[in-house]
Amino acid sequence: MVELKRPTVALGETQLSQVKKYLQVIRKEDRFNMGNVKWTFYLVGNKFNTSGFLEGELENNKNHGEQHLVYWVDNGMTKIYVLKWSEIFDEFSKRHEYLLDKLKLEEELWLKQHDNADNVVDDVVNNSATLEKPLIPKKAK
């Protein structure tokens, strides 16, 4: 479950309590709690408020070894994470930096090999990776 807050709402105890209420509603429904069902909740906003409440929750849950974790129950079967949008974008960039760098390098190499439009056309026409037209079986009469 993801709870996204509008940019003007600073995250704090009130917003975390709202997510915990959602969690309690779900836990009361037997159909949502069969067997080894895991529930992960995310509270996402632009910033934390100045109360320090969420920072305290993050500190209290460091022993579980997971970033952004503020609530951990049922032996980890139910968790709540609090993130700022900036953290999501930073983590995405870090996680995909290798791929982006590789694509940039391939683009540079491709541009060096193709100094004009004729070279591009020749390369595409002679590319062995192109697919042949698919065979469509004719309908029986």
Side-chain angles (χ1 to χ4, degrees), residues 24-42:
Q24 293 306 321
V25 168
I26 288 171
R27 290 178 81 181
K28 287 180 184 176
E29 286 288 330
D30 290 338
R31 63 187 170 146
F32 295 135
N33 294 293
M34 303 168 115
N36 292 332
V37 176
K38 292 184 179 184
W39 284 98
T40 304
F41 295 78
Y42 296 92

Side-chain angles (χ1 to χ4, degrees), residues 15-31:
Q15 291 72 32
L16 181 58
S17 293
Q18 181 183 20
V19 174
K20 286 181 179 179
K21 285 178 188 174
Y22 298 155
L23 182 151
Q24 293 306 321
V25 168
I26 288 171
R27 290 178 81 181
K28 287 180 184 176
E29 286 288 330
D30 290 338
R31 63 187 170 146

Side-chain angles (χ1 to χ4, degrees), residues 7-13 15-16 43-59 67-70 81-87:
T8 57
V9 174
L11 303 179
E13 184 174 5
Q15 291 72 32
L16 181 58
L43 173 60
V44 181
N46 274 349
K47 62 184 176 181
F48 294 167
N49 67 20
T50 58
S51 71
F53 179 80
L54 291 178
E55 291 87 347
E57 294 297 302
L58 288 164
E59 185 64 34
Q67 273 191 314
H68 314 294
L69 183 67
V70 294
Y81 297 90
V82 176
L83 294 102
K84 298 177 200 169
W85 281 111
S86 60
E87 295 169 327

